[in-house]
Amino acid sequence: MTKEISGFSKLSKDEKIDWIASTYFQSADEAKKLLKSYWNADEKLQQLHDDFIENTVSNFYLPMGIAPNFLINGKTYTVPMVIEESSVVAAASKSAKFWSTRGGFRTTVLKTEKIGQVHFIFKGDKEKLQGFFQLIKPNFFYDTEPLTANMQKRGGGILDIELRDKTHEIPGYFQLHATFETKDSMGANFINSCLEQFAKTLKDEADEYDGFSHEEKNIRVVMSILSNYVTGCIVRAEVSCKIEELAEKNIPDPEAFAEKFATAVQIAQVEPYRAVTHNKGIMNGVDAVVLATGNDFRAVEAAVHAYASKDGRYSSLSHAEIKDGIFRFWMDLPLALGTVGGLTSLHPLVKFALEMLEKPSAAQLMQIVAATGLAQNFAALRSLTTTGIQEGHMKMHLNNILNQFDATDEEREHVRKHFKKHAISHAAAVNYIESLRKK
Ligand code: MEV
């Protein structure tokens, strides 16, 4: 049977499902039943989800968990997290609780500027282009007024536009490099619309500019698009306390702990193989809140990892320092987030998440996300440098295995007792449950 199909997008949702089920599954009925079992009974709600993307056939659930007790700049937040990995929410909560009695997280938004570029080719006299650009610069602002009026009312808009000469990289390559303030929206649509207008203005004005030769008038715009590398949109999150205040059950010797912790961070700073995993731990927290609040996690991921390489080598995003008896742990993150626009007013659970965070501005959300990332990194490094990561992980994993086996309360009790004394592994847990059942 051929697996090629034309006009798939034109089929109804049921027809799409019929085609998939009959093309790929032995039991077409089972496949259809499964997809439909994830549909929402509320038809309006289902329609809303169907309309988010194209060719929707079902919903794909991810768990939404809650990490309470995040004390950030003196205010306590209950943080929503959407993530499939066990231990992450527990780790964030534990870390938040730990720091809530040690002054909490201090966060600062360092800058909030977004970037967009019109990439174009100009084969001609560079100085003439520079003169032309200065002459028509006000037109870029003027021609985009219909697009910027609303944003300006909210205190945002176009900040500046520069002409950048990139001809040393590619012959004839120039950019309009523009910066924007988009306030509480992530701003992708706003920026891209402005850029496309800039491109049009650039071409139209060049065409009419008497100073250009026939060849020079023919500016070739390659593309107009925002940059997800938001080096101008940075938030800092930080925790600190006296070294002796780090003491608790698993940290009997706070000084040794602080030293080992700082060394672990240093290793991530110099060793890219460790840095990637280290930063992945940060992103466990960051992505979970970014997803829960309906933001673009791919954009955030792309920006953060590029930022981790900003000094020429991929490195740790976080830093630790021990000075004058104080332990300090902090990081700067590039985060372009929105609390208006996009999914924020459409997805009911996103609205819920934002309401639980007490309707933050984009700048406040940047701070909450960064604090959660730092909390996650602290939790991972604390486990790694003390008990090891597997202890906590396997406890969670055990729970997943028990659920998979539909274990009764009595079986769960037996399993917990057994694995207090024995090392947990997937095989050991499965064997033990099976042996219990044979009895
Ligand atoms: C697992 O999802 C994340 C960690 O590997 C992060 C780290 O190693 O720092 C635990």
Side-chain angles (χ1 to χ4, degrees), residues 236-268:
R236 173 168 299 168
E238 175 177 345
V239 286
S240 64
C241 68
K242 288 190 189 138
I243 292 185
E244 62 266 25
E245 286 171 3
L246 289 168
E248 60 150 32
K249 202 175 115 227
N250 281 335
I251 310 176
D253 181 348
E255 197 140 336
F257 167 76
E259 290 286 347
K260 204 171 171 192
F261 189 102
T263 308
V265 174
Q266 231 180 343
I267 290 171

Side-chain angles (χ1 to χ4, degrees), residues 13 118 160:
K13 185 170 160 188
V118 177
D160 196 14

Side-chain angles (χ1 to χ4, degrees), residues 112-379:
T112 60
E113 215 175 83
K114 312 273 169 60
I115 295 166
Q117 298 167 319
V118 177
H119 306 269
F120 67 95
I121 303 291
F122 171 81
K123 296 272 175 69
D125 184 334
K126 283 184 192 183
E127 283 184 8
K128 273 206 241 166
L129 180 67
Q130 189 55 254
F132 163 75
F133 170 74
Q134 290 308 334
L135 190 74
I136 67 150
K137 191 170 168 180
N139 297 31
F140 292 124
F141 291 87
Y142 178 75
D143 292 351
T144 46
E145 263 171 19
L147 300 168
T148 56
N150 266 338
M151 189 58 89
Q152 271 169 354
K153 274 189 213 141
R154 286 161 38 204
I158 303 160
L159 299 176
D160 196 14
I161 310 167
E162 283 172 41
L163 173 69
R164 290 198 173 172
D165 181 347
K166 307 291 266 184
T167 51
H168 54 288
E169 317 255 24
I170 300 174
Y173 173 30
F174 290 85
Q175 297 170 348
L176 295 180
H177 182 97
T179 44
F180 302 84
E181 169 57 57
T182 62
K183 300 310 273 186
D184 287 335
S185 65
M186 189 229 184
N189 275 330
F190 168 72
I191 295 173
N192 289 334
S193 301
C194 288
L195 293 171
E196 288 187 5
Q197 179 58 53
F198 294 166
K200 189 169 179 308
T201 300
L202 179 73
K203 275 187 75 63
D204 291 352
E205 295 296 332
D207 198 39
E208 287 180 9
Y209 184 55
D210 289 339
F212 281 158
S213 67
H214 182 68
E215 159 99 49
E216 285 168 333
K217 280 177 191 276
N218 185 24
I219 284 182
R220 279 194 294 128
V221 171
V222 181
M223 59 192 158
S224 311
I225 186 74
L226 91 171
S227 171
N228 287 123
Y229 191 27
V230 283
T231 50
C233 194
I234 306 284
V235 57
R236 173 168 299 168
E238 175 177 345
V239 286
S240 64
C241 68
K242 288 190 189 138
I243 292 185
E244 62 266 25
E245 286 171 3
L246 289 168
E248 60 150 32
K249 202 175 115 227
N250 281 335
I251 310 176
D253 181 348
E255 197 140 336
F257 167 76
E259 290 286 347
K260 204 171 171 192
F261 189 102
T263 308
V265 174
Q266 231 180 343
I267 290 171
Q269 269 157 3
V270 300
E271 166 56 59
Y273 281 97
R274 172 57 202 151
V276 171
T277 319
H278 177 98
N279 291 344
K280 188 271 184 188
I282 293 172
M283 300 315 284
N284 277 345
V286 168
D287 282 341
V289 189
V290 168
L291 263 170
T293 54
N295 275 282
D296 183 342
F297 62 94
R298 288 87 54 210
V300 168
E301 281 281 341
V304 165
H305 294 293
Y307 196 70
S309 313
K310 70 179 185 329
D311 298 322
R313 174 170 69 177
Y314 190 92
S315 178
S316 165
L317 290 158
S318 60
H319 311 271
E321 177 187 82
I322 301 165
K323 209 167 136 195
D324 303 330
I326 303 285
F327 168 82
R328 183 170 164 250
F329 180 48
W330 76 100
M331 70 175 171
D332 290 354
L333 278 189
L335 286 177
L337 302 177
T339 53
V340 299
L343 270 196
T344 56
S345 55
L346 288 177
H347 196 300
L349 282 175
V350 168
K351 281 202 267 184
F352 170 92
L354 288 170
E355 196 161 335
M356 201 173 76
L357 291 172
E358 298 177 58
K359 304 203 169 134
S361 63
Q364 283 163 334
L365 185 59
M366 285 166 77
Q367 299 176 67
I368 296 165
V369 169
T372 312
L374 193 70
Q376 210 71 51
N377 193 210
F378 180 78

